[in-house]
């Protein structure tokens, strides 16, 4: 399996010269190449990262095979990029569906790519960050198991963004130390992505917000024009679909084209073996 192979450098096919050059270590520079991000400030830089098959499937929706690893083939270079993007983020946001599909996950750089833990830590420190990125879980219903590692391990600070009804439901469980619950939505309603974002950005020093999905949460962020850049790994796999199997694409639950199409601009392309690492600007 590719996760046991040594990490190989990405080959840059298209790179831009806009933005601020980040102080990657020599090892990360060798593996990823140079890395620029827009100057972080106010409003914060919101970016997303997904992996998709050639036919646009982001989850196989099959028991034990619902998470992103099955899409990338557990690709080590994809893990390296995921770790890098988490390392530069102050906050990583996911919806409850993504947590349910990968319930043992914690959204830190070293959790996804442990072999580069010290490189990521060095980068975070150089960017002025202290500790891991805050993990934000969006759940209108509040149907979350607070015994899962993301909440109970104490390894990350967690903010749950929910509704008043969701907060009431969560209060029936013991709230672990380091988990904060913020009720900002009406009961039963979808919480506007802009409200999620401003709640998250009330935390001092939050300048870079990474949305790792899933498709329904990301759709809300696109609907409100909040996503500046999309990182997208293209894995050379055809997953297939049949009517009603629920296999999602990267954005679900909202329709944009043809009335309101969202066109991105391709700003970066890197090749890692048979995978392509794409980056689009929606600014
Ligand atoms: N390939 C990839 O890169 C990638 C990346 C991420 C996820 N995925 C896959 O995508 C699948 C999950 O898809 P999904 O669309 O269900 O994921 P999701 O967006 O993470 O979860 C949807 C749930 O999150 C909550 N939520 C989302 N937006 C909300 C909002 N604006 N306000 C309040 N609550 C909100 C709701 O939870 P409540 O029902 O609790 O209210 C909603 O039912 C998984 O299989 C996962 O592995 C793949």
């Amino acid at each position: 399996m590719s996760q046991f192979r040594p990490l190989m450098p990405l080959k840059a096919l298209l790179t831009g010269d806009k933005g601020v050059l980040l102080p990657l270590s020599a090892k990360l520079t060798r593996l990823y190449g140079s890395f620029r991000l827009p100057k972080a400030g106010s409003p914060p830089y919101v970016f997303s990262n997904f992996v998709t098959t050639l036919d646009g499937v982001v989850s196989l929706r099959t028991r034990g095979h619902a998470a992103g690893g099955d899409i990338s083939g557990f690709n080590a270079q994809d893990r390296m990029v995921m770790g890098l993007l988490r390392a530069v983020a102050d906050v990583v946001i996911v919806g409850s569906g993504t947590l349910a599909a990968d319930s043992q996950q914690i959204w830190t750089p070293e959790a996804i790519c442990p072999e580069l833990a010290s490189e990521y830590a060095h980068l975070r420190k150089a960017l002025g960050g202290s500790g891991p990125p805050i993990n934000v879980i969006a759940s209108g219903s509040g149907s979350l198991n607070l015994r899962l590692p993301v909440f109970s391990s104490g390894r990350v600070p967690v903010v749950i963004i929910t509704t008043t009804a969701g907060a009431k439901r969560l209060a029936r469980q013991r709230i672990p130390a380091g988990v904060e619950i913020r009720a900002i939505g009406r009961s039963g309603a979808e919480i506007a992505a802009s409200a999620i974002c401003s709640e998250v950005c009330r935390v001092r020093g939050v300048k870079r917000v990474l949305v790792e999905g899933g498709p329904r949460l990301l759709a809300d962020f696109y609907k409100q024009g909040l996503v500046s850049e999309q990182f997208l790994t293209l894995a050379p796999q055809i997953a297939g679909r049949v009517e009603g199997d629920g296999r999602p694409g990267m954005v679900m639950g909202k329709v944009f084209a043809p009335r309101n199409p969202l066109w991105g601009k391709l700003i970066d392309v890197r090749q890692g073996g048979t995978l392509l690492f794409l980056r689009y600007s929606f600014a």
Side-chain angles (χ1 to χ4, degrees):
M1 293 278 269
S2 53
Q3 74 262 42
F4 301 122
R5 292 194 193 129
L7 270 165
M8 298 296 286
L10 300 184
K11 185 174 164 190
L13 304 178
L14 167 72
T15 52
D17 57 1
K18 288 210 177 106
V20 179
L21 192 61
L22 300 193
L24 303 197
S25 65
K27 187 171 180 178
L28 271 180
T29 304
R30 186 177 61 79
L31 290 172
Y32 185 79
S34 63
F35 186 27
R36 291 177 184 274
L37 283 182
K39 199 167 162 25
S42 181
Y45 165 66
V46 179
F47 60 119
S48 165
N49 184 29
F50 264 72
V51 58
T52 180
T53 64
L54 289 183
D55 55 334
V57 171
V58 302
S59 169
L60 303 183
R61 277 280 157 105
T62 302
R63 205 179 156 79
H65 301 279
D70 282 284
I71 301 296
S72 74
F74 299 94
N75 183 273
Q77 288 161 313
D78 188 50
R79 290 189 300 102
M80 181 262 288
V81 174
M82 288 175 80
L84 178 61
L85 298 182
R86 289 180 187 180
V88 300
D90 301 308
V91 170
V92 183
I93 310 184
V94 296
S96 66
T98 299
L99 172 61
D102 202 359
S103 61
Q104 301 307 299
Q105 174 79 271
I106 291 178
W107 283 266
T108 62
E110 64 276 12
I112 195 70
C113 194
E115 57 270 50
L116 293 176
S118 61
E119 312 294 321
Y120 296 139
H122 175 270
L123 176 59
R124 281 191 77 69
K125 207 167 162 207
L127 293 174
S130 59
I134 302 167
N135 284 194
V136 171
I137 315 291
S139 168
S141 70
S143 303
L144 299 170
N145 176 358
L146 298 184
R147 288 193 300 261
L148 293 180
V150 68
F151 305 116
S152 64
S153 67
R155 283 166 53 195
V156 277
V158 178
V159 176
I160 299 173
I161 307 266
T162 188
T163 57
T164 43
K168 224 183 245 177
R169 172 173 281 165
L170 284 162
R172 291 187 209 133
Q173 301 179 59
R174 192 184 69 78
I175 315 291
V179 174
E180 216 184 297
I181 296 171
R182 301 211 188 147
I184 56 170
R186 280 185 299 109
S187 302
E190 174 183 295
I191 305 164
S194 54
I196 297 176
C197 232
S198 20
E199 193 63 26
V200 160
C201 294
R202 278 175 43 198
V203 179
R204 220 180 68 202
V206 169
K207 293 185 198 130
R208 295 190 192 96
V209 175
L210 171 61
V211 183
E212 279 206 21
R216 278 179 286 169
L217 181 68
L218 184 60
D220 298 337
F221 275 76
Y222 271 112
K223 187 77 188 175
Q224 299 208 306
L226 295 171
V227 182
S228 295
E229 290 188 6
Q230 180 69 54
F231 290 76
L232 182 66
T233 302
L234 187 60
Q237 175 187 182
I238 307 286
R241 289 181 172 103
V242 291
E243 200 86 36
D245 65 10
R247 289 188 167 187
M250 189 180 81
V251 166
M252 296 296 291
K254 301 269 186 291
V255 171
F256 298 96
R259 287 188 72 167
N260 300 296
L262 292 179
W263 289 97
K265 185 176 166 208
L266 184 63
I267 55 170
D268 199 284
V269 181
R270 300 180 196 217
Q271 181 188 356
T274 59
L275 275 73
L276 277 180
F277 294 82
L278 309 168
R279 179 174 171 186
Y280 295 90
S281 166
F282 286 89

